[in-house]
């Protein structure tokens, strides 16, 4: 098990109430959400760095990436907005 650090986080009461409806392990749930956000941020940084060095992605590259991520059927409009 990785080492942990105990911290205090302040959240709106309504969010805490919803969290408790979703899980008995609020700390684990929040840790997963933070990890996902960190991965998202790092990926965005990598993509921006790549475009700065190599220029914007072509439509073909974007279509290929979407097919790999969402399957050969491509992504729906809702997935593009996410």
């Amino acid at each position: 098990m990785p080492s942990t650090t105990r911290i205090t986080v302040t959240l709106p009461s309504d969010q805490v109430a919803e969290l408790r409806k979703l899980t008995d392990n609020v700390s684990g749930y929040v840790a997963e959400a933070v990890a996902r956000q960190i991965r998202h941020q790092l990926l965005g940084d990598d993509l921006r760095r790549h475009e700065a060095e190599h220029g914007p992605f072509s439509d073909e590259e974007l279509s290929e990436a979407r097919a790999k991520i969402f399957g050969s059927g491509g992504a729906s409009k809702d997935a593009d907005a996410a």
Side-chain angles (χ1 to χ4, degrees), residues 1-13:
M1 180 168 146
S3 66
T4 60
T5 301
R6 185 180 194 111
I7 64 168
T8 300
V9 176
T10 303
L11 297 170
S13 297

Side-chain angles (χ1 to χ4, degrees), residues 3-58:
S3 66
T4 60
T5 301
R6 185 180 194 111
I7 64 168
T8 300
V9 176
T10 303
L11 297 170
S13 297
D14 58 333
Q15 287 182 357
V16 174
E18 290 301 317
L19 268 173
R20 289 189 173 139
K21 289 179 189 177
L22 296 171
T23 184
D24 292 332
N25 183 1
V26 172
S27 291
Y29 191 96
V30 171
E32 287 179 26
V34 169
R36 186 173 46 254
Q37 183 63 33
I38 289 170
R39 285 191 306 271
H40 180 81
Q41 181 68 42
L42 292 173
L43 177 59
D45 292 346
D46 284 346
L47 292 172
R48 283 185 289 280
R49 187 172 22 260
H50 179 86
E51 284 191 312
E53 292 175 13
H54 304 285
F57 291 102
S58 68

